[in-house]
Amino acid sequence: MEKNHDEISYAVRERLQFIELQLLFKGWVSRFDLMAQFGVAEAAATRDFKKYKEISGDNMVLNHTYKRYEINANEFTPIFDRELDAYLVETKAVKNNFGRNEPLIESMENISGTNSKIFFELSRAITNNDAVKIKYRSLENGISEREIVPHAFFDTDLRMYVRCFDRKRSIFINLLVNRVVSVDSCKNQPLDDEMSFNDSSWNSFVELELIPHPNEGNVKNKECVEMDLSMTDGVKVVRVRCATGAFWLNRWNVDCSSNASLSSKKYQLYLKNRSVLESLDSAFIVNGFGD
């Protein structure tokens, strides 16, 4: 938060953030909104509006007819330094949906809900730097037992993975959390070469250069894709971990073939600097790897 208001208490700051969120998404906010959301008295709500006005200057103006504050769009400068994504998360969870009967943002259901018991057991192991014994179900080998040293999770928006050192293969790997059948304690605690600081693929990054797919059958108007991803000179550069880059490319349906040979409107992006695949874990899973 900027503009000399670090001295504000957490409770007041939360209410001021609410005021700003309402102005941004709804265009107006009233004392009743604040009172209903936080259960504060009218006098407290009045003080909050006075404080926001004091800090923000011309961000909002009072509409006496409707007894509400409305956004001054031409002069508005947020007092909270927050990315849009942070606001979107709050908007999906907001209780009153800005007075609408329907959600402002409809979320798509994730059909691969993470097993909470397994997740929390792995989370405790990560937090306490513990090795654990697990039973893991794989597509090729069914259920197997192994010892792992987990150090992080990563989420593709479709599935949750745990990054860990696998003592069975003596390498760092990614495992699907939902394929972990059970987690048990392990007597053999982690060695230095099993810890996260020695996971070179996790700690190394590459830049992916994405361009609109050159095949006109895939993308007829390249300007649309360039606009979608805020490309600069027709290129979007994304920095990813070597350990997760292949999953990222699949998530965005990027054609990674050597000559942009994947013909489908599904593939709107092409990996321009294909040589980076040599640096990625599990590069064989990307679309067009063998082409």
Side-chain angles (χ1 to χ4, degrees):
M1 197 163 61
E2 306 294 339
K3 299 193 177 181
N4 302 320
H5 39 75
D6 290 337
E7 75 284 356
I8 298 174
S9 69
Y10 175 81
V12 173
R13 186 177 309 179
E14 189 178 21
R15 297 197 295 272
L16 297 188
Q17 284 181 331
F18 175 81
I19 291 173
E20 186 155 286
L21 183 71
Q22 297 287 309
L23 289 171
L24 286 167
F25 280 86
K26 193 169 65 174
W28 59 270
V29 60
S30 68
R31 283 182 297 181
F32 175 78
D33 292 328
L34 205 62
M35 293 161 62
Q37 182 73 13
F38 295 97
V40 296
E42 185 175 354
T46 300
R47 286 195 298 270
D48 290 335
F49 277 101
K50 182 179 179 181
K51 174 60 71 174
Y52 184 85
K53 182 71 174 174
E54 183 181 295
I55 296 171
S56 71
D58 296 326
N59 275 4
M60 63 183 186
V61 293
L62 179 60
N63 185 320
H64 292 278
T65 302
Y66 293 101
K67 296 182 179 180
R68 68 188 190 187
Y69 282 95
E70 298 177 354
I71 187 170
N72 185 4
N74 294 328
E75 302 292 334
F76 190 89
T77 301
I79 68 170
F80 293 96
D81 185 16
R82 309 184 75 200
E83 296 292 333
L84 176 60
D85 285 349
Y87 282 121
L88 294 181
V89 169
E90 286 190 16
T91 304
K92 291 176 183 178
V94 74
K95 294 178 181 178
N96 62 11
N97 290 306
F98 307 106
R100 293 164 48 89
N101 293 326
E102 298 293 331
L104 183 64
I105 301 175
E106 182 71 32
S107 298
M108 297 181 70
E109 184 177 355
N110 186 335
I111 62 173
S112 178
T114 303
N115 183 313
S116 59
K117 180 177 184 296
I118 297 296
F119 178 85
F120 289 132
E121 288 174 334
L122 291 172
S123 177
R124 290 192 290 272
I126 292 171
T127 304
N128 295 296
N129 295 320
D130 289 335
V132 290
K133 290 182 180 180
I134 67 169
K135 289 183 179 179
Y136 188 77
R137 190 188 304 274
S138 69
L139 289 174
E140 293 184 358
N141 302 316
I143 294 181
S144 63
E145 294 185 359
R146 61 182 80 193
E147 292 184 5
I148 64 169
V149 182
H151 69 74
F153 295 107
F154 70 91
D155 187 0
T156 68
D157 287 336
L158 298 176
R159 292 183 173 93
M160 180 76 71
Y161 291 82
V162 60
R163 182 70 177 178
C164 60
F165 184 85
D166 179 18
R167 287 176 172 171
K168 186 176 182 179
R169 298 165 60 189
S170 296
I171 57 173
F172 287 96
I173 61 172
N174 306 310
L175 296 177
L176 269 167
V177 173
N178 275 3
R179 291 185 185 167
V180 178
V181 178
S182 63
V183 180
D184 294 301
S185 59
C186 177
K187 294 181 180 179
N188 302 317
Q189 289 307 296
L191 304 173
D192 279 353
D193 61 359
E194 300 172 331
M195 302 295 286
S196 61
F197 52 79
N198 278 314
D199 187 349
S200 58
S201 289
W202 183 263
N203 298 314
S204 300
F205 293 80
V206 294
E207 291 188 341
L208 307 176
E209 297 177 8
L210 308 177
I211 62 174
H213 202 285
N215 185 339
E216 190 171 313
N218 293 26
V219 176
K220 187 174 183 179
N221 295 302
K222 296 180 181 179
E223 293 80 4
C224 289
V225 179
E226 293 174 0
M227 184 177 179
D228 286 345
L229 300 185
S230 302
M231 291 185 173
T232 302
D233 297 326
V235 180
K236 181 73 173 184
V237 178
V238 182
R239 188 169 182 264
V240 299
R241 295 183 187 273
C242 293
T244 63
F247 297 88
W248 194 96
L249 288 165
N250 272 358
R251 180 70 180 86
W252 281 90
N253 292 322
V254 179
D255 180 354
C256 300
S257 62
S258 58
N259 56 357
S261 61
L262 300 184
S263 298
S264 170
K265 294 185 184 297
K266 169 183 176 181
Y267 303 107
Q268 297 184 1
L269 296 171
Y270 179 68
L271 180 62
K272 181 182 178 183
N273 58 335
R274 192 174 185 272
S275 60
V276 299
L277 294 179
E278 299 175 4
S279 303
L280 302 184
D281 280 11
S282 306
F284 62 88
I285 72 172
V286 302
N287 299 302
F289 177 77
D291 297 340

